[in-house]
Structure formats: C-alpha cells, structure tokens
Amino acid sequence: MKKILAMVLFMGVVVLSACSEETTLYDEITEEGVLTVATSGTLIAASYYNDQDELTGFDVEVAREVGRRLGVDVKFEIMSVDGMLPAVDTGRVDLAANDFSATKNRKETFTFSEPYKYSYSTMVVRKSDYSGVRSLEDLAGKINGGGETTISSEIARHFGAEVRTYGNASNEAYLRDVSIGRTDVVVNDYYLIKFGVAAFPDFDIMMHPDLKFHPTEQALVMKKGETALEEAVNEALQAMRDDGTLSDIAIEFYGEDASEQTEADVEIIEGLDI
C-alpha cells in the first residue's frame, strides 16, 4: 500500500512539474528570436510602403521598437484587416498592429496591450456637398467604404449606412470612390483620415469639419491568455513612453503626439455595442 501511495505521489509531482514547465508563446518567441506581426501595409501614416518601397508607419515602427526591446527580430505578415484577428487567434501571427481599437467586445476574445495611441473617429466626405452628411444621423442610407469587421464600419451601420467592403485595398481606392461618388463616406480614425486626405489633394474629398465622435484607444492585439507576452509587451511600451520614444514616433508620423490623451470635444455614441 505504501509503495502504491509513493508511486501516486511521484506521478503527481511529475505532472505538476510538466505543467509548470509548459512553454508559453512568449517562450517560443524568445527561443526562435522572431516576433511575427500582422499589418496591412496600405494604411497611410499607420502601416504603408514609403517611396523606397519600405514598410513603415506609426504602428509598424511601434511594433519594431517593441521587438527590439524584447531582443527579437520582427517579421511582418501583410494581410487585410479582416484577416488579422483570426490570424492572431489561430497562432499564424503573434501580434496584430494596424490601428486596432481596444473595445469591450474584442477584449472578450483577445488580449490588448496598454494603449499606445489615443484618438477619435470622424469621416471623409466630398468637399463639394459634404456627401449630404451634416450629422451622424445623416449616415442613414449612405454608402460607407470600409472593412467588414472594423469598428468604423460598425459605427456606420449603427446609423443606417450600407458598408461597401474592400480587400486589402490602398487608401487611394477608398478615397477615390468617395470623390467620384461610388461611395459617400469613409468613417475612420482622425489621424488616418488627416493624412489620407492630404495625400490626394486632387480628389474632391475632405475630413468632415464638424463631426468628432467615439473616442478610441489603439493597442497591439494578442491571443487571449498569453500573460507572459502581454507583460513583456506592456513593459516595452511603458519604457518607450517613459523615455519619450513613443511620443517621438507619433510626432514623426502624425505631426502631433497621438500617444497622449486627446483634448478634442468628442461625442459619445449611445447604444453602440462594440
């Protein structure tokens, strides 16, 4: 009986030891020396290719700096925004960095880092007629260009707009469609709209001068439950904030410090379930 009890206790110790040594995603990243990050490469100022055909942008450079501080290389996987969260969930990539807003519903399925950007939503409209949109309620019946699963598209639908979806299309495709009347608006982040509109001065488009709504916090997206990776990423981001690197990257790409809370007077949308 004593031998049986001893064997049971020994097996329990072995099982507990194996559980305590279970490899985490962060262990795999540090062992391989590579952090894999999903991004679009089509989002001006956030994730795009410059004139030298190099991938850059605010989110791209934040992810690169996080990787550097973790002591690993960063490998970017280019894909559509609608494919990024599934890629994180299945383990195809370790992080997603593409101006993702940390929302209540998303946090139920994914882990988000601490915010590294604060902003709000507005929209692209035609300069000639505001696309017929003077208030959010005027979105009813309009056509919004956007990704199927984005928060911006959810806002447009909330007010009765139809959403015309694109693949991993460039800013130019979205904005030209508004200019020529194929769509009416593009609801999106203030900073992204500001630089997207500025890149195409010949288009009949502008950032809506009056509508500011839905304050946002952008963060890196990770698989749920990867606590070690979450802690390491947050430590890197905090160090970047403390030494001014995060502010420097924001100012480089946005012309202002998007890493700090916005002081704009932003409308809260009631009843928006995101």
Short mmCIF file of all heavy atoms in Angstrom, two decimals, residues 48 69 97 124 189 221 237 249 260 267 271:
data_model
loop_
_atom_site.label_atom_id
_atom_site.label_comp_id
_atom_site.label_asym_id
_atom_site.label_seq_id
_atom_site.Cartn_x
_atom_site.Cartn_y
_atom_site.Cartn_z
N TYR A 48 2.28 51.41 -44.06
CA TYR A 48 2.29 51.66 -45.50
C TYR A 48 3.70 51.52 -46.05
O TYR A 48 4.68 51.41 -45.28
CB TYR A 48 1.75 53.07 -45.81
CG TYR A 48 2.64 54.18 -45.30
CD1 TYR A 48 3.51 54.87 -46.15
CD2 TYR A 48 2.64 54.56 -43.95
CE1 TYR A 48 4.33 55.89 -45.68
CE2 TYR A 48 3.45 55.57 -43.48
CZ TYR A 48 4.30 56.23 -44.34
OH TYR A 48 5.12 57.22 -43.88
N ARG A 69 13.18 45.93 -28.10
CA ARG A 69 13.33 45.94 -26.64
C ARG A 69 13.12 44.55 -26.04
O ARG A 69 13.58 44.28 -24.92
CB ARG A 69 12.38 46.96 -26.03
CG ARG A 69 12.78 48.38 -26.44
CD ARG A 69 11.95 49.45 -25.80
NE ARG A 69 12.28 50.76 -26.35
CZ ARG A 69 12.57 51.84 -25.63
NH1 ARG A 69 12.56 51.78 -24.31
NH2 ARG A 69 12.85 52.98 -26.23
N ALA A 97 -0.81 44.66 -35.49
CA ALA A 97 -0.51 46.09 -35.30
C ALA A 97 -1.04 46.84 -36.50
O ALA A 97 -0.38 46.92 -37.53
CB ALA A 97 0.99 46.31 -35.14
N VAL A 124 -14.44 60.91 -43.93
CA VAL A 124 -14.15 61.56 -45.21
C VAL A 124 -15.47 61.81 -45.93
O VAL A 124 -16.30 60.91 -46.01
CB VAL A 124 -13.25 60.69 -46.09
CG1 VAL A 124 -13.00 61.36 -47.44
CG2 VAL A 124 -11.94 60.40 -45.40
N ASP A 189 -10.47 56.72 -38.33
CA ASP A 189 -9.72 57.41 -37.30
C ASP A 189 -9.29 58.80 -37.77
O ASP A 189 -8.91 59.00 -38.93
CB ASP A 189 -8.48 56.57 -36.97
CG ASP A 189 -7.53 57.26 -36.03
OD1 ASP A 189 -7.81 57.25 -34.82
OD2 ASP A 189 -6.54 57.83 -36.50
N VAL A 221 -2.63 43.72 -30.49
CA VAL A 221 -3.57 42.63 -30.22
C VAL A 221 -2.81 41.31 -30.10
O VAL A 221 -1.95 40.99 -30.93
CB VAL A 221 -4.62 42.50 -31.34
CG1 VAL A 221 -5.72 41.51 -30.92
CG2 VAL A 221 -5.20 43.84 -31.70
N LEU A 237 6.37 48.86 -23.95
CA LEU A 237 5.62 50.07 -24.27
C LEU A 237 5.77 51.13 -23.19
O LEU A 237 5.90 52.33 -23.48
CB LEU A 237 4.14 49.74 -24.48
CG LEU A 237 3.78 49.01 -25.78
CD1 LEU A 237 2.32 48.57 -25.74
CD2 LEU A 237 4.03 49.89 -26.99
N ILE A 249 7.91 58.75 -32.10
CA ILE A 249 7.38 58.02 -33.25
C ILE A 249 6.04 58.62 -33.68
O ILE A 249 5.77 58.77 -34.88
CB ILE A 249 7.22 56.51 -32.92
CG1 ILE A 249 8.57 55.89 -32.58
CG2 ILE A 249 6.59 55.76 -34.09
CD1 ILE A 249 8.49 54.45 -32.09
N GLU A 260 -0.62 60.64 -26.48
CA GLU A 260 -1.23 61.28 -25.31
C GLU A 260 -2.74 61.43 -25.50
O GLU A 260 -3.22 61.49 -26.63
CB GLU A 260 -0.61 62.66 -25.07
CG GLU A 260 0.89 62.62 -24.75
CD GLU A 260 1.17 61.97 -23.41
OE1 GLU A 260 0.27 61.95 -22.54
OE2 GLU A 260 2.31 61.50 -23.22
N GLU A 267 -17.94 63.45 -29.27
CA GLU A 267 -19.27 62.94 -28.95
C GLU A 267 -19.22 61.45 -28.62
O GLU A 267 -18.59 60.67 -29.32
CB GLU A 267 -20.21 63.17 -30.13
CG GLU A 267 -21.62 62.63 -29.93
CD GLU A 267 -22.52 62.82 -31.14
OE1 GLU A 267 -22.10 63.53 -32.07
OE2 GLU A 267 -23.63 62.26 -31.14
N GLY A 271 -25.59 53.58 -27.18
CA GLY A 271 -26.16 52.34 -27.72
C GLY A 271 -25.29 51.61 -28.70
O GLY A 271 -25.75 50.69 -29.37
#
